[in-house]
Structures are given as C-alpha cells and as structure tokens.
Amino acid sequence: MNYKKLFFSLAGVALCISISASSLNKKPKAIQLFNGKDLKNWTPKISKHEVGDNYANTFRVEDGLLKVRYDGYDQFDQQYGHLFYNKEFSAYILRVQYRFVGEQAKGGEGWALRNSGAMLHGQDPKTMLKDQDFPISIEGQLLGGDGTNERTTSNLCTPGTNVVMKEKLFTPHCVSSTSKTYHGDQWVTADFLVLGDSIIQHYVNGDLVLEYQKPQYGGGNVSNFDPKQKKDGQLISKGTISLQSESHPIDFKKVEIYNLEPYMKNSVELKNAITAVMQK
C-alpha cells in the first residue's frame, strides 16, 4: 500500500500526517488473529444455535484460509453467524484480506448476495441470546460486485448502534462508502482504524472510503437480544471483533490487528504508529 497522507481527527483536532522516514519510529507489530492453521482463540455464535456450536462446520480452515461455507445447510433459514476473537480491543487497526467465492447458500436473502462483514466494538458472544441474529456492534460491511453493477464495499451498518457523521447523529442502518466495486473472486484488503469511542475510518486497498465518530448504542436492526446489553446513548469504547456468515461463501487470507492502545496518551506517538502501519 502506498499512503501519501493519512487524515484523521482526534479529540477535536484535525491532524494531517505525511509519511516520512522520521515517522517510522516505534512501529506496532502485527498480531495475527488468524494463525493459518485452525480456529484457536475464536468462538462461533450462529443464530438459532448455542454459543460455541459451529453448526454444519460453517467456519473452517482449509488450505491456509479461514473459510465460511454452507455445504452442510439444507436451507440458510436466517441462521446468521459470527466468529468472535476471544479478546476485546479498544484502539487498533484491523486488517483483513478477503474474497467472495462460489454461489450463495439456498434460502439466503437477496441482499446477502456476496455480503459479509467485520464487526467492530461488538458484544461478548456469551451475552447473545440463542435466537439473536447479529451482535450489537459496528459493522464494516464487506460486499462483492455482481459482475455488472456498481457496489461499494467497506460500508457501515449499525446493528443496535448509531454513530456521528458530519457532527450529526446518524441513525439510518447502513451507509455506502466511496470505494470502488470489486467483482469476481479477487482479493481485497480492508483496514479499519478504530480509536476507542472517538473515530473510526474504513480503508480499501489503501484508499480512505468512510469516516465517522462516537460509536454508541442505539437504534434497531438487531433482533432477539437481551435489553441489558443495549444501553442507548452510551458511547462504545471497546468490544469484540467478529467475522460474519450471511449466506455467501467467503475466504479470509489475513486477519491481523495492530494494537494502538499503548500510543493513545501521546498524540505524536499515535500519529507515527498509525502512519507506520498504514504505509505498509
């Protein structure tokens, strides 16, 4: 990736970062959430099933890839699933490399064609009820093109949450990014810069495509949840990370995170750390 400039706001101050050799001190190390071998440190939660039940081997590792498959399903039947990493994070850059493959599962919703997501600041899967469809979270929605029409990826969806955009509370469920369309089975890299309860940015193949602030509980678009887990209006400063199964097969080649929490108390170190990661 070739980043010339990285823009973000922190504590109400607009910052512009230009990449230079002096900014490459104290580079955070990548933490591989997916080890390429198995699902160690990951927990599945699939709607209509208990936490920990990897129904029909939905989430699996084959050929060094983390795969989402539905060959064990007779009908998808709104059995939306999520694979949770067993640790919460607050300030970080999440990087995933993904591709959509194959055909959608029988019974999948039309909108779920070539659709998946990386869930940020999510709830603990152990707090999800059996029939809950989505974790209360901020979703970095991953979409593949249909071969003909324009369709952005790394969009925002908000199951049980709201955000602030352009200094106003944003309450619609989803909003499109400004990304290009990625048809076929090509690999795409999505980065999510998350700084606690202040700012979140989405990048696709090196381009900034979406930005918003102040993730918080609120709104709808999540069903069969425990009301105690949704304190509307409360800012969300940390949470789980999970990957979706929404009826279309998808592969993940890389799932890694750069922990920015050690840099949050020093704005210069934070800028340098972010720049060092994003220029890779």
Side-chain angles (χ1 to χ4, degrees):
M1 298 181 191
N2 181 18
Y3 289 80
K4 293 182 178 179
K5 289 187 177 180
L6 171 67
F7 294 89
F8 69 97
S9 299
L10 180 62
V13 179
L15 300 172
C16 172
I17 309 167
S18 297
I19 291 182
S20 64
S22 62
S23 70
L24 301 182
N25 301 325
K26 294 190 176 181
K27 180 185 298 185
K29 293 183 178 180
I31 302 170
Q32 301 301 324
L33 304 188
F34 170 52
N35 62 18
K37 301 177 182 179
D38 53 39
L39 297 180
K40 182 180 180 180
N41 296 322
W42 293 87
T43 297
K45 174 64 184 80
I46 299 172
S47 183
K48 305 184 182 182
H49 304 276
E50 300 291 348
V51 62
D53 179 4
N54 188 14
Y55 172 72
N57 197 28
T58 301
F59 301 102
R60 62 187 74 168
V61 178
E62 296 173 343
D63 305 318
L65 303 176
L66 196 167
K67 298 184 176 183
V68 181
R69 296 293 187 270
Y70 308 97
D71 46 12
Y73 289 60
D74 293 326
Q75 285 277 338
F76 185 70
D77 192 27
Q78 297 184 326
Q79 294 174 94
Y80 303 113
H82 298 80
L83 185 66
F84 292 81
Y85 191 73
N86 293 341
K87 182 180 178 180
E88 291 188 337
F89 295 93
S90 177
Y92 56 88
I93 295 170
L94 173 67
R95 178 168 293 162
V96 299
Q97 290 182 332
Y98 70 91
R99 66 179 180 186
F100 288 99
V101 297
E103 301 297 324
Q104 186 180 19
K106 186 177 181 180
E109 305 282 356
W111 53 262
L113 176 74
R114 298 173 67 80
N115 188 337
S116 185
M119 318 302 279
L120 316 171
H121 277 354
Q123 69 182 106
D124 185 326
K126 295 188 292 294
T127 68
M128 293 178 66
L129 302 184
K130 182 178 179 180
D131 293 334
Q132 185 171 339
D133 49 2
F134 302 99
I136 299 168
S137 57
I138 299 293
E139 177 185 352
Q141 184 190 50
L142 307 177
L143 296 178
D146 62 8
T148 302
N149 300 297
E150 294 299 309
R151 197 181 191 213
T152 61
T153 188
S154 202
N155 304 318
L156 165 68
C157 292
T158 54
T161 56
N162 289 318
V163 300
V164 170
M165 299 185 75
K166 298 180 180 178
E167 300 183 355
K168 294 183 179 180
L169 187 67
F170 183 83
T171 58
H173 178 44
C174 294
V175 62
S176 296
S177 76
T178 60
S179 84
K180 302 175 183 177
T181 300
Y182 296 90
H183 298 291
D185 61 357
Q186 62 183 303
W187 288 104
V188 180
T189 298
D191 289 322
F192 301 96
L193 169 61
V194 181
L195 298 180
D197 60 13
S198 61
I199 189 167
I200 299 177
Q201 289 183 335
H202 297 191
Y203 291 81
V204 178
N205 287 351
D207 295 324
L208 175 62
V209 297
L210 189 62
E211 177 181 318
Y212 48 94
Q213 299 81 33
K214 297 181 180 179
Q216 57 194 268
Y217 297 112
N221 302 293
V222 59
S223 301
N224 304 314
F225 62 93
D226 180 353
K228 293 184 294 185
Q229 302 301 319
K230 185 172 176 287
K231 301 177 181 179
D232 288 0
Q234 177 178 306
L235 294 177
I236 309 173
S237 61
K238 64 178 182 179
T240 57
I241 290 169
S242 61
L243 305 173
Q244 279 190 329
S245 60
E246 282 195 310
S247 76
H248 201 109
I250 186 172
D251 294 339
F252 292 93
K253 179 164 57 174
K254 177 181 291 186
V255 185
E256 65 184 19
I257 197 166
Y258 297 82
N259 185 15
L260 299 177
E261 291 184 44
Y263 308 90
M264 289 294 286
K265 293 183 179 180
N266 186 308
S267 61
V268 174
E269 290 186 358
L270 177 61
K271 289 187 292 181
N272 290 346
I274 292 172
T275 304
V277 173
M278 301 298 280
Q279 59 83 40
K280 294 178 63 177

